[in-house]
Amino acid sequence: MSIKDKCAIVGMGCTKFGERYDTSFEDLIVEAAYEAFEDAKIESKDLDAGWIGFTSSSRTGESMARPLKLHNIAVTHVENACASGMEAIRNACHAVACGEYKMVIALGAEKLKDSGLAGLPQPGGMHYIHPAMFTQFNAPANYALAATRYFYRYGIEPRKGKETLAKITVKNHFNGARAPKAHLRNEVTVEQVMAAPIIAYPLGLFDCCPTTDGAAAAIITTVENAKKMRNDYILVRSFGLSIGEGMAAVDTDYDWTHWEETIRASQKAYASIGVKDPRTEISLAEVHDCFSISELIVYEGLGFSEAGKASEDVDAGTFALTGRQPVNPDGGLKAFGHPVGASGVRKVFECYKQLQGKVDDPRRQIKNPKLALAHSQGGQPGAFECVVCITGLPA
């Protein structure tokens, strides 16, 4: 079933992302949800159902039903690694579009800074991790393999390639410095990024997103209902979902230089609404930049750059706030951090505000956006869970 123009977002909320040591997981849920309620001018009693995305911070739909006092309505926990939040929105939208519910909440949240881990925890522990395909899984190392392979395939001198990645980091820090709810709000220079301690060559400290606490929420309803609630509602135009088979660890011919799941998910989302040229038809994008090399390869997967040519677009400033096609105008995961379950909803939050023309700092406002794309990509190369969500203004 196509989701095109069958449901709308009428309210969104987003917490301050960062080291929220004074705030519990449930506090984050309440903070994000009540900002969304206020934006939509509804109360929790107006909801018919809810979806919550997280990976390791709690368990079951009760984690949202309890703090929001949802009084026995249907609440579902969804988990698809780093795409969990956007999966909450996708499932909520389909439930509204098929006519099961009229007013629902989709929320993503994660509390990681108190987990005791320097990086991301393994969802559900190690007991269900595949013994062959996920051995020695290490996110920085896997993305570093993608970077060195990308440089080799396209004949890019390693230092020049690392400088290209540094320019992506500098862009995202610049944008994040103008986003009041971002975790990291400091600008950095190419020289600082290049000189930072190496985590997994060529990725240095500034090429990696931070571990963070945060939550975001969306109120979704039918288009007919949205028209009665506000004039500046945002249409949910399309979704694409693609899940990898996990072959990178065992396929000696696996190509580390493109994300097949991103290509498949975006093509499905584009086809649903007739997007022929994403370079000109997508006004802005929020993409998964857990590492700088991820954002570079995603440019090509989404069709914003030709294969092997993304570095030229980076040099041209194509994806800067003032460029032809701004990417991560709020600073992305690099500036906001990555509370896993929350990140997908936070990306849609930025798209929602950009389309409404209500970005919290006018220096980040994109002029006359028509279509906004949010992209989440969980897992590791060859085993991604990728969701693409396209939102837009009513005709």
Side-chain angles (χ1 to χ4, degrees), residues 64-84:
M64 184 166 72
R66 182 176 53 245
L68 296 186
K69 301 294 184 292
L70 295 181
H71 301 301
N72 298 316
I73 66 171
V75 180
T76 304
H77 167 219
V78 295
E79 192 278 308
N80 235 349
C82 305
S84 297

Side-chain angles (χ1 to χ4, degrees), residues 86 240 257-271 275-282 284-289 294-307 310 313 319 324-328 347 372-377 386-390:
M86 211 174 294
T257 64
H258 80 285
W259 311 141
E260 184 67 22
E261 296 87 344
T262 287
I263 294 171
R264 298 290 186 92
S266 59
Q267 287 179 344
K268 177 174 174 52
Y270 296 153
V275 170
K276 304 295 185 185
D277 182 6
R279 291 168 59 93
T280 59
E281 294 180 69
I282 302 297
L284 67 118
E286 281 284 321
V287 307
H288 202 79
D289 61 316
S294 175
E295 181 167 327
L296 185 77
I297 296 178
V298 165
Y299 293 151
E300 298 175 5
L302 294 175
F304 297 169
S305 298
E306 296 179 24
D313 285 333
F319 307 114
R324 185 198 73 220
Q325 191 168 36
V327 171
N328 289 335
K347 294 169 188 171
L373 181 150
H375 161 270
S376 280
Q377 181 173 275
C386 180
V387 181
V388 169
C389 171
I390 298 179

Side-chain angles (χ1 to χ4, degrees), residues 7 10 36 55 78 95 124 149 174 181 206 218 238 248 254 342 349 360 391:
C7 52
V10 290
T55 59
V78 295
R149 185 66 185 179
F174 178 87
K181 292 186 176 183
F206 288 112
S238 65
Y254 177 74
F349 174 82
D360 45 18
T391 49

Side-chain angles (χ1 to χ4, degrees), residues 7 12 21 24 29 60 67 83 105 122 124 141-142 157 181 203 230 234 264 267-268 273 308-309 316 338 348 364:
C7 52
M12 291 202 75
Y21 291 117
S24 72
I29 290 172
T60 82
I105 183 171
Q122 288 289 352
N142 277 277
E157 191 274 323
K181 292 186 176 183
L203 305 178
R230 60 191 305 164
I234 298 302
R264 298 290 186 92
Q267 287 179 344
K268 177 174 174 52
I273 55 174
K309 302 291 186 181
H338 188 19
V348 176
R364 292 195 299 107

